[in-house]
Amino acid sequence: EVQLVESGGGLVQPGGSLRLSCAASGFIFSRYEMNWVRQAPGKGLEWVSYITSPGTTRYYADSVKGRFTISRDNAKNSLYLQMNSLRVEDTAIYYCAREGGSSTSWAFDMWGQGTRVTVSS
Amino acid sequence: EVVLTQSPATLSLPPGERATLSCRASQSVSSQLAWYQQKPGQAPRLLIYDASHRATGIPARFSGSGSGTDFTLTISSLEPEDFAVYYCQQRRDWPPLTFGGGTKVEIK
């Protein structure tokens, strides 16, 4: 089955760290650029980070720059988001999303089910 | 940063009616605009990419149009499963990649 499955979310205190994972299956993961997108409770979608297929280029939203690090392991078909110095405003559902490449240009044609991150004391 | 403004915030229509959703960009994004549908408790789903191309498996009642700064998503005849929140997204001028604030289509 073609899918993305996130894990690693949970409750963490302000200033703490979490590492999110996204396991890909059913497609050639190494060929696709990947993103993290988050959604705070009751709010809209916010792009968080992007990584190229070989992992050589990474971009971040200003709101997470210097605190979050995106990475991938193509041998393990996995995407990661290391989140440090977490703030209350980082509370959200975090989705990994695949860019469609040649089929849908840059648009996000596949999403995981999301993992919930709660930052609270 | 390109700001995407969606209107209206909420659209109340009965099933069978035509829905017209707007997305306006603060600067030209050419045709690099996508539309997503999100239902409660679910991840977003890609509907339209490059302003007017339907993604795989998307019914023909969904259509996208526009270029530059003004875009429209049209649902020709609302089905019960179409009541959801719709987001536009651009990647013409990035980072950051940006989303609009969303339009909720609700049953009237």
Side-chain angles (χ1 to χ4, degrees), chain B residues 18-58:
Chain B
R18 181 185 188 90
T20 303
L21 287 66
S22 173
C23 178
R24 177 163 290 179
S26 59
Q27 62 191 73
S28 176
V29 298
S30 184
S31 62
Q32 293 193 28
L33 190 106
W35 290 94
Y36 299 85
Q37 176 194 68
Q38 188 180 33
K39 297 179 181 179
Q42 296 184 17
R45 176 175 72 144
L46 176 66
L47 299 175
I48 301 287
Y49 65 95
D50 287 346
S52 61
H53 296 83
R54 269 191 306 276
T56 301
I58 302 304

Side-chain angles (χ1 to χ4, degrees), chain B residues 81-92:
Chain B
E81 62 268 28
D82 299 337
F83 292 94
V85 180
Y86 293 83
Y87 295 95
C88 57
Q89 176 204 37
Q90 70 82 28
R91 208 183 84 165
R92 176 69 175 90

Side-chain angles (χ1 to χ4, degrees), chain A residues 4-60:
Chain A
L4 298 168
V5 179
E6 300 95 335
S7 60
L11 174 63
V12 61
Q13 292 187 336
S17 298
L18 275 178
R19 187 194 195 208
L20 305 184
S21 298
C22 171
S25 59
F27 64 97
I28 303 174
F29 177 71
S30 61
R31 293 184 179 176
Y32 291 87
E33 298 169 343
M34 298 295 295
N35 291 263
W36 287 97
V37 176
R38 69 184 180 183
Q39 187 168 37
K43 303 297 184 182
L45 302 171
E46 179 189 14
W47 170 77
V48 172
S49 187
Y50 157 93
I51 188 167
T52 52
S53 52
T56 51
T57 299
R58 311 171 193 199
Y59 296 136
Y60 300 92

Side-chain angles (χ1 to χ4, degrees), chain A residues 101-118:
Chain A
S102 59
S103 61
T104 61
S105 186
W106 55 270
F108 298 175
D109 70 340
M110 183 184 300
W111 297 66
Q113 85 289 351
T115 188
R116 186 178 300 272
V117 173
T118 302

